[in-house]
Amino acid sequence: MRFYFKIIIFICALGSGVDASAQSDSSVAGLIKQGVELNNQKKYPEAAESYKAALALEPDNVQANYQMAFTLFSAGKNKEALPFIEKASKGNNPKFTAAAYSLMGSIYQSVNQLPNAVNAYKNAIKADGSNQRIYYNLGIAYFKGKLYGEAEQTFATAIELDSSDAGSTRMYALSAFHQNKRAEATFGFCRFLMLEPNTPRSAEVYGNLQNILQGGVLKPEPGYREPRDMSSADPGNKVLTKALAGVANRKYATSADLLAAQLKSIFNAVGNIPVEKYAFWQSLATYFGQLTASNNLPTFARYISQSAKPESAKWLKDNPDKLSALKNWVAVTKPAFKVL
């Protein structure tokens, strides 16, 4: 399984390009500008020399320290970057401070110092709570540390800030799946496949979805301790099991027809789950309930299975009117996510 943290790049307002006069500009601003251009060209040693010269003039310059840290991090010199990003985080501009702490989190995460990464991302959120990428990165740190409950909530917040972010949606579903919250994971996987139906990640997610629909569960990983109120006690699992039992003994012409029937049964069954405790899940449930009522579910089943089922891809090609109807519904109907 691959997942990536997202680097927040803070480019100071120094213009673009380096002309002859800029190259001879020995001011702090000029040296930083030269360094940014060299970094963009992946000339990391040369960029570091420019920032070193700038810092010789102003050791506490937050922009020079940030850019030096970013260049060292880009060059794979992660530990060497830490003293510079520490200084960069002392600035007074909230968005710059957030970017500095986020980069600090990415550096700590790259050397597997996950508690330090979590603290850095939390400081970034304190500085700028509107930056969706910081929540995504924090969620990745939690997930890598097997803190799946915290990861789930963090990715949910990331999705609330950007409902079209497929990466956060995938990780939200995986976080639920790793807690054996199979119904919740089903909704997350379906939403991801709606956003990203035909990529290598789609095939992996479709496999996870099929695992759930066929009654599978993930075995607990070494080092993960399941909270007492999760797993088999989760009410969604009971709802899911009952919903799937209702279609298990019926015959279907195609695997896509079976998938549509399974999803319809699940989507129609979730209304009995308490809203108070599962607000974000209920946002997904409401959304997919609307999809079921729109009569687009048979098309949706083929749309999300096209990465794994050639017959589904062919069906979509042969039925452009139905595919267009689904896409129009998706474009008009937006999920209203709510996080407690």
Side-chain angles (χ1 to χ4, degrees):
M1 181 193 305
R2 290 187 176 183
F3 41 83
Y4 305 92
F5 48 80
K6 303 175 182 178
I7 306 300
I8 298 175
I9 304 174
F10 189 97
I11 303 298
C12 46
L14 297 170
S16 59
V18 179
D19 53 28
S21 61
Q23 290 176 354
S24 62
D25 185 352
S26 59
S27 69
V28 172
L31 290 165
I32 295 173
K33 181 178 180 179
Q34 293 170 36
V36 169
E37 180 63 23
L38 290 165
N39 185 81
N40 290 341
Q41 297 172 18
K42 301 187 186 306
K43 296 179 178 179
Y44 302 130
E46 295 88 343
E49 286 301 316
S50 291
Y51 301 136
K52 183 178 179 180
L55 290 168
L57 298 173
E58 290 185 23
D60 295 325
N61 185 287
V62 293
Q63 293 184 353
N65 276 288
Y66 177 91
Q67 298 297 347
M68 175 67 95
F70 182 75
T71 290
L72 291 171
F73 179 60
S74 300
K77 298 180 179 180
N78 303 327
K79 292 184 179 180
E80 293 179 36
L82 286 170
F84 296 99
I85 202 62
E86 286 283 354
K87 285 189 175 182
S89 67
K90 308 304 180 185
N92 296 320
N93 182 314
K95 290 191 178 298
F96 186 92
T97 300
Y101 273 120
S102 183
L103 178 56
M104 184 189 300
S106 297
I107 294 170
Y108 276 124
Q109 193 166 318
S110 70
V111 295
N112 208 34
Q113 295 185 26
L114 297 180
N116 288 335
V118 166
N119 288 335
Y121 290 134
K122 286 182 175 180
N123 283 329
I125 289 170
K126 288 179 183 178
D128 181 11
S130 65
N131 194 313
Q132 189 265 356
R133 287 179 294 177
I134 300 174
Y135 286 96
Y136 174 87
N137 287 345
L138 175 58
I140 292 295
Y142 279 137
F143 189 94
K144 289 181 70 175
K146 298 182 174 60
L147 299 172
Y148 298 123
E150 290 86 343
E152 173 198 338
Q153 290 300 311
T154 305
F155 288 123
T157 302
I159 296 167
E160 185 180 26
L161 291 170
D162 182 2
S163 63
S164 65
D165 183 24
S168 294
T169 305
R170 170 176 170 263
M171 294 308 304
Y172 163 80
L174 284 171
S175 299
F177 194 23
H178 277 267
Q179 297 172 82
N180 195 26
K181 297 164 70 172
R182 290 175 286 136
E184 188 170 349
T186 296
F187 284 96
F189 287 141
C190 285
R191 174 61 179 166
F192 169 83
L193 290 167
M194 175 181 281
L195 295 169
E196 192 177 303
N198 200 15
T199 68
R201 294 197 306 182
S202 307
E204 174 200 285
V205 167
Y206 183 76
N208 289 333
L209 177 62
Q210 283 299 308
N211 181 291
I212 292 172
L213 297 179
Q214 294 168 16
V217 298
L218 279 181
K219 294 181 179 179
E221 295 180 275
Y224 173 61
R225 294 185 177 181
E226 189 175 83
R228 293 181 180 179
D229 61 343
M230 297 299 178
S231 190
S232 60
D234 186 83
N237 290 347
K238 297 177 181 179
V239 172
L240 179 79
T241 300
K242 185 176 180 180
L244 291 174
V247 298
N249 296 320
R250 300 176 187 176
K251 300 285 186 180
Y252 297 93
T254 68
S255 61
D257 292 324
L258 170 61
L259 177 60
Q262 290 171 323
L263 294 180
K264 181 177 180 179
S265 184
I266 293 168
F267 295 162
N268 285 336
V270 297
N272 296 326
I273 298 172
V275 176
E276 295 80 7
K277 190 176 180 181
Y278 302 95
F280 185 80
W281 183 6
Q282 284 293 325
S283 302
L284 282 170
T286 298
Y287 182 68
F288 282 112
Q290 293 170 335
L291 175 63
T292 302
S294 73
N295 297 318
N296 286 303
L297 195 56
T299 305
F300 176 72
R302 289 168 171 84
Y303 188 73
I304 67 172
S305 61
Q306 61 181 289
S307 63
K309 300 287 185 179
E311 59 270 26
S312 289
K314 183 179 184 302
W315 187 95
L316 293 170
K317 184 177 180 180
D318 294 341
N319 293 272
D321 54 333
K322 293 181 179 179
L323 177 59
S324 178
L326 173 64
K327 289 185 174 181
N328 289 338
W329 183 90
V330 171
V332 171
T333 311
K334 303 297 182 181
F337 291 123
K338 178 182 178 183
V339 180
L340 283 179

